[in-house]
C-alpha cells in the first residue's frame, strides 16, 4: 500500500476543512486536504455563507455591544438546554478571533447584517440584528484555470447577490423589482456570492500557498499508532492509500444526512430531502465511533423544509432538494396537511418550523402532517414567485392548481372540507393580522421574511382568488448535527471524556454544540469555522 506522510490530514473542503487548512498552512504545517467529491466547497459552497458570530468586531464597530451573560442565556435557551454549555464561551471568544484571522489571511472583510434578526430574537438575550456576517461578492476569475474546482450553487448561483443586497432589494417580497440584467451579467462574468464566495477566497489563498485539495479522495478508516490516531486510509483513484499524520487527523467532512441507515437509526423522521450535496454519508461518524468517541446531538439536524422541481439533480447522482425559505412567510400562502389543516407557524425560522412535520399519529403509527402542501392563490402569484410559477406564465404541470379549493383538494388528495374550512379561518386571521393558532407574524424574525408592503401585516394576506395552487413541501435538512463530542481545541473526546490522541472534528462532522436549536443565520458555518480553526491551532501550533 502506498504511504504518504504529513503533519495534518484534513478531510472535507467545506467551511470546516478549509478553515483548518488555512490556519494550519499559516502555522507552517505540511498538510493533505482530501475531498470525496469532484468539487471543493461542500454544502458551504451552495449556502448563503452567512456566519453567526456574536461579539464580532464589525458588530462592535457599529455600536452593537454584547452582554456575555445575556448571550450565554440565549445560547442555552435556544439550544433547548441540550447545547454543550462548556463550549459557549469558546464560541463567544474564539470565533471572532478566527474571523479576524480568516479576513486577514484570505484578504477580505465581512459586513455585519445589522437588521438580520437572530432566529428566536424574543428569547432572553436574542437580538434583532448585528450578530450575522455577510460575504462580499467574489470574482472566480481570480482562480484562473482552477475555477472549475469550485462547487457551483445550482439554486441561485446564476443570481449573485450579497445577503445585504438581497435584503435591500427585498428579493422575496419584491421579486419583479430586481435589476435582473445587472445581476445575470454578474453571473456570466464569473461573480459568485455567499458560501461560494467564502470558499472561493479560501481556495485561492490555499492554492497560492501551494496547497491543492485532492479531489475524489475519501477518508474512510483511521490508522492507529502509538496509542492514538496516526493517519487515515483514503480511497483515491480506485486505490486505498495511507496518509500518515504526525500531528493529527481533522474530520471536517460529513454529517450523515445521505446515509439512509444512519438516519433511520438516529433521526425522528425518514430523511428523504437533504439539501446538501450527496456525499455526506457519515464517514466521519463511523471513523470516530470506531475509536471510541463519545457522541452527541445524534437525533438532531439543521432542519429545513424542502421543495423540488422534478428532474433537477446534483452531481448527476441525486435529486436536488431546494430549501424553502420564503414562500411560506409571505402573505396569501399557508402550509396544510392532508386533512387541510395548518400545523405550524409557517414563517418561523426553518429549524423550528420544520419540527411539527415529524408529529406522529400514535394510534395509526403514521406521520400526522405528511404529506404537506404549500397553498397559495392568484393574489400571491400577482406579487411573488411560487417556486417555478410567476405571473404572466402558465403554471407548470408539476404544481397542482385549480380554480376552486374543492377542485384543488380533489387533485391533491387533501380533505376538501378541512381545506375550505382552514382557508376561511386563515382569511379571518388575515383580516386582522393575527394568528391565534400558531402565532405567525409575532416574531421580528417572521416579519423579516414577510412583505413590509402588505396592507395588513407582512406575513398575512387572504387566500381567496384563483388560481389556487398546492406545492408539496417536505421536512428536510441542511445537514445533520450528530457526531463526536469535542472539547475547546476541537479534540474528539472518548466515551471516558478524555481526548483521543491525534483526532479532531469540526463542522457538521462534530456533535453540534447547539443541541436542538439554531441560534441565528450562520450558526452552522460559524461552528465549522471555529472548530476547524481550533483543530489546526492545537494540532499544528
Ligand atoms: C441552501 C443552503 C443555504 C445555507 N445557508 C447557510 C448560511 O447562510 N449560513 C450557515 O451557517 N449555514 C448555511 N447552510 C448550512 C451550511 O451550508 C452547512 O451546515 C455548513 O456549510 C457545513 O459545513 P461543513 O464544512 O461542516 O460541511 P460541508 O460544507 O458539507 O463540507 C463537507 C465536505 O466533506 C466532503 N466529504 C464527505 N465525506 C468525505 C470523506 N469521507 N472524505 C473526504 N471528504 C468528505 C463533502 O463532499 C463536502 O465537500 C445552508 C445550507 C443550504 C443547503
Amino acid at each position: 500500500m502506498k504511504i504518504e506522510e504529513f503533519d495534518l490530514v484534513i478531510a472535507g473542503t467545506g467551511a470546516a476543512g478549509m478553515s483548518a487548512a488555512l490556519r494550519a498552512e499559516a502555522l507552517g504545517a505540511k498538510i493533505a486536504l482530501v475531498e470525496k467529491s469532484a468539487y471543493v466547497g461542500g454544502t458551504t459552497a451552495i449556502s448563503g455563507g452567512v456566519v453567526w458570530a456574536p461579539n464580532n468586531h464589525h458588530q462592535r464597530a457599529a455600536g452593537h455591544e454584547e452582554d456575555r451573560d445575556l448571550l450565554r442565556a440565549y445560547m442555552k435557551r435556544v439550544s433547548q438546554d441540550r447545547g454543550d454549555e462548556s463550549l459557549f464561551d469558546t464560541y463567544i471568544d474564539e470565533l471572532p478571533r478566527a474571523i479576524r484571522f480568516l479576513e486577514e489571511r484570505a484578504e477580505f472583510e465581512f459586513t455585519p447584517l445589522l437588521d438580520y434578526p437572530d432566529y428566536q430574537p424574543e428569547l432572553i438575550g436574542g437580538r434583532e440584528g448585528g450578530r450575522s456576517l455577510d460575504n462580499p461578492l467574489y470574482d472566480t476569475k481570480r482562480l484562473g484555470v482552477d475555477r472549475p474546482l469550485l462547487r457551483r450553487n445550482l439554486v441561485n448561483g446564476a443570481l449573485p447577490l450579497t445577503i445585504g443586497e438581497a435584503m435591500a432589494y427585498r428579493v422575496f417580497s419584491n421579486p419583479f423589482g430586481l435589476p435582473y440584467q445587472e445581476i445575470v451579467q454578474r453571473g456570466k462574468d464569473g461573480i459568485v456570492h455567499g458560501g461560494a464566495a467564502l470558499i472561493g477566497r479560501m481556495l485561492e489563498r490555499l492554492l497560492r500557498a501551494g496547497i491543492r485539495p485532492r479531489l475524489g479522495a475519501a477518508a474512510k478508516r483511521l490508522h492507529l499508532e502509538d496509542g492514538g490516531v496516526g493517519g487515515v486510509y483514503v480511497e483515491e483513484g480506485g486505490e486505498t492509500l495511507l496518509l500518515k499524520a504526525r500531528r493529527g487527523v481533522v474530520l471536517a467532512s460529513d454529517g450523515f444526512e445521505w446515509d439512509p441507515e444512519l438516519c433511520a437509526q438516529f433521526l425522528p423522521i425518514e430523511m428523504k430531502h437533504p439539501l446538501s450535496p450527496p456525499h455526506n454519508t457519515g464517514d466521519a461518524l463511523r471513523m470516530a465511533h470506531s475509536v471510541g468517541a463519545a457522541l452527541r446531538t445524534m437525533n438532531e439536524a439543521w432542519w429545513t423544509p424542502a421543495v423540488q422541481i422534478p428532474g433537477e439533480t446534483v452531481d448527476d447522482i441525486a435529486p436536488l432538494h431546494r430549501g424553502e425559505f420564503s414562500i411560506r412567510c409571505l402573505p396569501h400562502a399557508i402550509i396544510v396537511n392532508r386533512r387541510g389543516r395548518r400545523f405550524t407557524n409557517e414563517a418561523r425560522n426553518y429549524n423550528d418550523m420544520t419540527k411539527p412535520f415529524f408529529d406522529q399519529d400514535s394510534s395509526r403509527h403514521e406521520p400526522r402532517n405528511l404529506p404537506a402542501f404549500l397553498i397559495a392563490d392568484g393574489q400571491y402569484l400577482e406579487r411573488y414567485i411560487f417556486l417555478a410559477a410567476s405571473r404572466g406564465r402558465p403554471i407548470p404541470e408539476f404544481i397542482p392548481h385549480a380554480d376552486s379549493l374543492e377542485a384543488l383538494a380533489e387533485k391533491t388528495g387533501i380533505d376538501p372540507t378541512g381545506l375550505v374550512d382552514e382557508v376561511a379561518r386563515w382569511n379571518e386571521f388575515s383580516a386582522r393580522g393575527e394568528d391565534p393558532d400558531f402565532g405567525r407574524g409575532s416574531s421580528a424574525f417572521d416579519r423579516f421574511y414577510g412583505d413590509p408592503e402588505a396592507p395588513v401585516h407582512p406575513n398575512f394576506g387572504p387566500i381567496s382568488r384563483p388560481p389556487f395552487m398546492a406545492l408539496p413541501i417536505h421536512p428536510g435538512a441542511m445537514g445533520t448535527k450528530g457526531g463526536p463530542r469535542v472539547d475547546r481545541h476541537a479534540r474528539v473526546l472518548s466515551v471516558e471524556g478524555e481526548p483521543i490522541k491525534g483526532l479532531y472534528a469540526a463542522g457538521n462532522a462534530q456533535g453540534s454544540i447547539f443541541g436542538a436549536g439554531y441560534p441565528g443565520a450562520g450558526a452552522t458555518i460559524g461552528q465549522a469555522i471555529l472548530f476547524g480553526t481550533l483543530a489546526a491551532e492545537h494540532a499544528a501550533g
Side-chain angles (χ1 to χ4, degrees), residues 320-359:
L320 174 66
H321 306 295
R322 293 166 170 252
E324 210 306 285
F325 301 103
S326 59
I327 301 172
R328 59 193 167 79
C329 310
L330 290 166
H332 314 291
I334 56 173
I335 298 176
V336 300
N337 57 23
R338 65 179 178 279
R339 289 176 296 117
R341 297 296 175 185
R342 291 178 66 222
F343 56 90
T344 186
N345 169 357
E346 296 90 344
R348 186 172 291 164
N349 72 75
Y350 35 89
N351 188 58
D352 290 316
M353 69 76 62
T354 304
K355 292 185 181 179
F357 281 78
F358 314 158
D359 286 358

Side-chain angles (χ1 to χ4, degrees), residues 42-43 46 155 257-258 271-278 280 302-307 314 319-325 350 474-479:
T43 321
I46 61 162
V155 174
E257 62 273 12
W258 282 95
M271 174 58 76
K272 289 192 192 155
H273 297 89
L275 307 182
S276 56
N280 293 346
W302 307 100
W303 304 111
T304 316
V307 292
V314 193
L320 174 66
H321 306 295
R322 293 166 170 252
E324 210 306 285
F325 301 103
Y350 35 89
H474 318 278
M478 295 169 162

Side-chain angles (χ1 to χ4, degrees), residues 11-17 34-37 41-44 46-50 217-219 252-254 275 279-280 283 302 325 478 506-508 518 522-525 528:
T13 59
V34 298
E35 164 57 51
K36 186 182 193 177
S37 78
T43 321
T44 312
I46 61 162
S47 78
V50 175
S253 47
D254 42 351
L275 307 182
H279 311 283
N280 293 346
D283 294 332
W302 307 100
F325 301 103
M478 295 169 162
N508 289 352
Y518 204 138
T524 92
I525 294 180

Side-chain angles (χ1 to χ4, degrees), residues 174-229:
N174 182 32
F176 305 110
L178 300 185
Y180 276 105
Q181 260 189 330
E182 184 193 325
I183 303 169
V184 168
Q185 191 56 47
R186 282 181 182 175
K188 287 184 182 155
D189 290 343
I191 306 294
V192 295
H193 71 292
L198 178 65
I199 295 291
R201 289 193 164 86
M202 294 165 117
L203 177 61
E204 180 189 328
R205 185 67 187 82
L206 286 176
L207 290 171
R208 228 191 302 150
I211 293 166
R212 179 162 287 274
R214 296 164 71 148
L215 302 180
K220 284 292 182 184
R221 193 158 51 87
L222 294 172
H223 167 72
L224 300 179
E225 204 173 289
D226 295 337
V229 171

